[in-house]
Amino acid sequence: MIPPGFTGAGLDRADHLRLDPDRLAALKGHSQARLLRLDGLDPVLDEAGALAWGPLEDPDALLLFLGLKGEAPLFAPLVRMETAGQRAWSVFRLLALMSDRDAAIWGAARSLNEWHNRHGHCSVCGTATAPFRAGWGRKCPACGAEHFPRVDPVVIMLAEYEGRVLVARQPGYPPGRYSALAGFVEPGESVEEAVARELFEEAGIRVGNVRYVASQPWPFPGSLMIACIADAHSDALTLDPTELEHGFWVDRAGVAAALAGDSTAPFVAPPPFAIANTLLTRWSDQA
Ligand SMILES: [Zn+2]
C-alpha cells in the first residue's frame, strides 16, 4: 500500500538530545550538519527536484533541530513571519515534484515554524515566550509554563452507501476537484463521534460503523488528518451550502477513473500527497 503523503521522513528525531546544550552545540558543529533552505516557509528545490540544504553558517542562530539522518544532524531555520502563513496553491505545485521523504521533512519544518509564529506569547499569562528544546517547545520566562507544538486532529472521511461513496467540493477548490468531507475534532469528542457529527452537519446523513483507515500530518498549519470510512444509513443528501458547493455519490469505477486522471472521470481527484487521495485509493482497491 502507498503510504500517505507527508510521512516517511526517516529521521531519528533524537528527543534525548533536545535538552542537552553540549550535545546540541556538537551537532551544530558536526561536519555533516545541514540547514534546510526555505523561501519564506516554502521549500527550495535543487535542479534534481530534491530539498535544498546548505551549511550552518551562524552557530548562534535560532534553529529547529529536525533530527538525524544517519550521522548527519539536520536543522531548519526559525523563520520570523510578519503574518501567519497561508496555504498557497503554488506550494502544491512544488509538492507534486517532491519525494514523499522530502515532503515529510519539509512538512515538519513548516508546521513547527507556523507554531512558533502563532504562539509567541504565553497562553497562561501573556508574556513573550522563548524557544527551548531545540525548537520543540517554548518556555515562559515569567510564569515558567512550558508550551509544546500543537497538533490539531481533523477527521476526513468517506461515507459509503451501497457501493458508492460521497465526495464533495468547496467553492475554493480547483475546477472539477472533489474530495472527502473533513472537520476538526472538538473537545469532548472521539474520532468516531467527530466523523458522525461532521457528516450530519455538512451532508445531512447519519452514519455508523466508523473505521479508521490511515493518518497523515498536514502542515497548513498543523493538523493531523485522521482518515476514516463510515456506513451511511441512506443516500439522501442535505448539503450545508456554507461549507460545500456540490456533492454526489460515486461508485468504484468512477473513483478509479478519477484517480487515474481519466478525462472522462466524474471528478478530478485530490493530489497524491493529500490523504483524501489515499482514502479514495484504499476504498477503490477494496474488492
Ligand atoms: Zn507565562
Side-chain angles (χ1 to χ4, degrees):
M1 280 193 293
I2 300 168
F6 299 107
T7 64
L11 301 184
D12 173 3
R13 293 184 173 219
D15 176 72
H16 64 288
L17 301 178
R18 292 171 178 170
L19 276 172
D20 187 331
D22 295 336
R23 297 285 297 278
L24 276 175
L27 291 175
K28 286 181 179 177
H30 194 283
S31 62
Q32 295 181 50
R34 289 291 177 270
L35 180 64
L36 181 66
R37 290 184 56 203
L38 293 174
D39 173 14
L41 290 183
D42 288 351
V44 176
L45 304 186
D46 65 19
E47 312 81 58
L51 280 178
W53 299 84
L56 274 66
E57 281 160 357
D58 177 5
D60 298 323
L62 278 175
L63 298 179
L64 313 172
F65 174 50
L66 298 176
L68 300 168
K69 181 184 180 184
E71 295 286 305
L74 302 184
F75 294 87
L78 180 50
V79 179
R80 298 284 180 205
M81 297 184 296
E82 293 298 314
T83 55
Q86 295 294 319
R87 179 175 60 184
W89 292 104
S90 60
V91 83
F92 286 7
R93 284 195 286 275
L94 295 176
L95 282 164
L97 303 172
M98 292 162 64
S99 70
D100 293 345
R101 182 191 182 103
D102 274 358
I105 292 171
W106 170 77
R110 176 183 168 119
S111 218
L112 200 48
N113 262 302
E114 287 269 15
W115 176 75
H116 280 285
N117 277 278
R118 289 163 187 256
H119 295 82
H121 289 80
C122 178
S123 57
V124 178
C125 75
T127 303
T129 54
F132 82 127
R133 291 182 60 85
W136 293 89
R138 298 185 70 88
K139 196 165 186 174
C140 177
C143 76
E146 297 180 346
H147 304 283
F148 300 96
R150 282 188 59 156
V151 174
D152 298 322
V154 174
V155 287
I156 179 162
M157 55 276 168
L158 291 174
E160 180 174 15
Y161 187 78
E162 295 184 349
R164 296 174 301 157
V165 289
L166 175 63
V167 293
R169 61 174 277 114
Q170 296 176 6
Y173 283 3
R177 166 80 52 81
Y178 282 74
S179 187
L181 300 192
F184 286 100
V185 179
E186 294 187 344
E189 220 173 28
S190 68
V191 166
E192 291 83 352
E193 288 169 328
V195 166
R197 175 182 54 75
E198 285 287 342
L199 283 169
F200 184 69
E201 285 177 1
E202 295 193 4
I205 51 177
R206 297 290 188 188
V207 299
N209 191 23
V210 177
R211 288 96 75 196
Y212 170 83
V213 175
S215 69
Q216 80 167 174
W218 184 248
F220 306 101
S223 297
L224 176 67
M225 310 298 293
I226 303 163
C228 297
I229 293 178
D231 293 340
H233 296 169
S234 92
D235 61 356
L237 296 178
T238 308
L239 295 182
D240 174 359
T242 62
E243 298 272 352
L244 301 172
E245 192 174 83
H246 184 237
F248 66 100
W249 297 90
V250 57
D251 63 14
R252 280 194 167 77
V255 169
L259 291 168
D262 190 331
S263 62
T264 62
F267 68 103
V268 176
F273 54 81
I275 200 167
N277 184 294
T278 311
L279 191 51
L280 288 164
T281 302
R282 301 260 175 108
W283 180 76
S284 172
D285 288 347
Q286 284 171 11

